[in-house]
Amino acid sequence: MMRWLFRKIAWSRVVRIVPEGLTYLGLRSRHKPPSFVESLSRSVRLREIAVAQGLDFPVWKYDDKLAGRRLADELGLRVPELYAVGVLEECVAETRRRGSAVIKPLQRHSAQGVLVLTPRGDNFFDHIRRKEVSASQLEAYVRSCQLGHEDVLIAEEIIFRPGSTRLPSIEWKMYCFGGVVGFIVEADRGSHKRDRRVLQLRYRDFSSFRAPWVRGYRKVFSMPNAVHPDGLIEYAETYATATATDFVRVDLYEDDRGPVFGELTPHPAAGYSHINYLGRELDCYFGDMWERAEVRLMANALDPMRGE
């Protein structure tokens, strides 16, 4: 046991000291390679500092889903019809009246607390968790996902995928750097395969690529292609450009008529559970895209000052 512990401590010192020594001797770059995942964490830290000083980043004002919807509407993008804003009971009642709805928290990220419901007798069918639930089970689930009882919920129209009136649309998560789509995560939350979410990673041209590993997801590479790929790119880049930020994720849906705006996510996974599922090479590639977008944004901000 002591020998194992000694080896572990010795190796940890080697891992820390050797790179520093190589840097000191000029055999290793002083700068870390760019990293998409590290940039995500850094952006959250910068926002925390800004909020502590009474400031805020422009993109975060659209973190509120209602504000995000308003911006999309101003830009001429289609948005799901809004049914209700309020407590769970109001949203459930409106779901029964409308026949189906998506219920989600106003200011939360991730699928936790999100319900895609269609009535089934006196109960509901939850398309994300693939099971029938009662109103009391819905309330217990939503309460367990809330940060506090004051969390506001919204109920909005379900967007059904092209050619179907039964299956909810696939989500197209467009990762945008400086207003340009870098990569796309195609997510099928309503999949019935082994009761697990499935996804596919795609480049801007919608060609797919494999991730080294994706925790919590079933790896499949035969998911449906986008029916309106050009429209999805146009929607995402129009919205991302309007936010005037170095990075933002724009979530979209599509139906027979074309793309539909879903929501804006300034920081996927809220910076606490994001993992490097891209692998070292792609993490560096998209980290470089982020840094280049950040530099362009700073340069554009300096332009008015140069003319003074």
Side-chain angles (χ1 to χ4, degrees), residues 161-163 172 206 224-230 232 254-256:
R161 66 186 63 183
W172 298 94
F206 286 87
N225 292 321
V227 177
H228 310 281
D230 293 339
L232 289 170
E254 65 172 347
D255 58 13
D256 289 319

Side-chain angles (χ1 to χ4, degrees), residues 210-228:
R210 292 174 179 261
W213 66 286
V214 182
R215 183 180 180 183
Y217 286 86
R218 174 178 167 80
K219 291 184 182 180
V220 294
F221 302 96
S222 59
M223 291 183 68
N225 292 321
V227 177
H228 310 281

Side-chain angles (χ1 to χ4, degrees), residues 99-142:
S100 64
V102 177
I103 299 177
K104 53 189 177 183
L106 188 62
Q107 288 185 306
R108 294 289 302 277
H109 301 299
S110 81
Q112 287 194 338
V114 178
L115 305 164
V116 181
L117 304 173
T118 51
R120 181 171 287 185
D122 293 332
N123 297 326
F124 296 91
F125 183 74
D126 183 349
H127 288 268
I128 293 181
R129 276 154 286 280
R130 302 293 301 176
K131 63 181 182 181
E132 186 174 326
V133 293
S134 65
S136 60
Q137 289 173 323
L138 283 181
E139 181 175 0
Y141 171 72
V142 172

Side-chain angles (χ1 to χ4, degrees), residues 81-95:
E81 183 181 351
L82 184 63
Y83 293 161
V85 179
V87 297
L88 179 63
E89 292 76 13
E90 295 173 332
C91 293
V92 169
E94 194 63 19
T95 300

Side-chain angles (χ1 to χ4, degrees), residues 2-3 31-32 47 72-73 77 84 87 98 112 120 122 126 128 150 174-175 199 207 225 248 254 265 268 301:
M2 292 301 295
R3 181 179 296 179
H31 304 288
K32 287 185 177 180
R47 182 181 186 243
D73 191 54
L77 310 181
V87 297
R98 299 279 187 163
Q112 287 194 338
R120 181 171 287 185
D122 293 332
D126 183 349
I128 293 181
E150 72 281 359
M174 322 292 278
Y175 288 68
L199 62 78
S207 60
N225 292 321
V248 70
E254 65 172 347
T265 304

Side-chain angles (χ1 to χ4, degrees), residues 10 22 35 40-41 54 88 93 142 147 163 216 224 250 252 258 260 263 269 290 298 301 303:
L22 293 175
S35 168
L40 281 175
S41 298
L88 179 63
V142 172
L147 294 176
V250 183
L252 303 176
V260 184
E263 63 184 59
W290 187 321
M298 288 189 292
D303 277 342

